[in-house]
Amino acid sequence: MKVTIVAAVAQNGIIGIDNRLPWHLPEDLAFFKQTTLGCPVLMGRKTYESINRPLPGRLNVVLSSDPSWQPAPAKDGTPRSLIAYPAELPAGSTTQIASATNLPNALSWLNGFDQVFLIGGSNLYQQALDQNLVDELILTEIHESFDGDASFPDWDRTRFIEVGRTVNPASAERTWGFDFVKYARVNVATNTAI
């Protein structure tokens, strides 16, 4: 199973403020959807609660240290169903919410899938990078600094190699550009992407 971090990161490392994105970038939201659709997405509880609904067309796995955590009801008041670890999981393209209490359990639970995307927040990113669990990073690198209270963790750039970049220059709508960048983990023995 390939474990991929997906994040949009400002020039100063900021990824969020008050549990929301500090910028408006529709191209990034479309890119995120296109990248993750049909695959499980793994996120922390605060990230899920900032979205406040399951992302459609994806199995949404929420990490919460509280084993009794439940998602908020839908807007119409209908309770949302929850699959708790270690129950059987549906296909990655099924819109469902699942929960686990820690990252190792969640990843072992998802081991039958080809790819899982870690979509936030900063604590989840930090854990995955610290435990050397990440195979690739797909980052939207924003060429502007923003105020915020959540940052992307420092990561060892010698352990990853850039394998793709799409440049999006500044435009009439925004004074700053951004790049979609893919980094693959390096095979230490050959110094090539895994």
Side-chain angles (χ1 to χ4, degrees), residues 124-155:
L124 176 61
Y125 294 147
Q126 185 75 63
Q127 284 180 56
L129 288 163
D130 286 351
Q131 296 173 32
N132 199 26
L133 301 172
V134 179
D135 298 304
E136 70 179 5
L137 296 96
I138 299 176
L139 302 181
T140 301
E141 295 180 347
I142 297 172
H143 306 302
E144 181 66 66
S145 293
F146 287 84
D147 291 332
D149 54 19
S151 298
F152 195 79
D154 289 332
W155 51 289

Side-chain angles (χ1 to χ4, degrees), residues 167-187:
V167 175
N168 297 276
S171 67
E173 293 83 36
R174 59 187 149 59
T175 59
W176 41 268
F178 62 95
D179 299 344
F180 297 130
V181 189
K182 183 184 281 191
Y183 297 93
R185 189 165 39 124
V186 171
N187 179 329

Side-chain angles (χ1 to χ4, degrees), residues 16-21 50 148-150:
I17 186 168
D18 298 330
N19 282 332
R20 61 177 175 76
L21 296 173
S50 72
D149 54 19

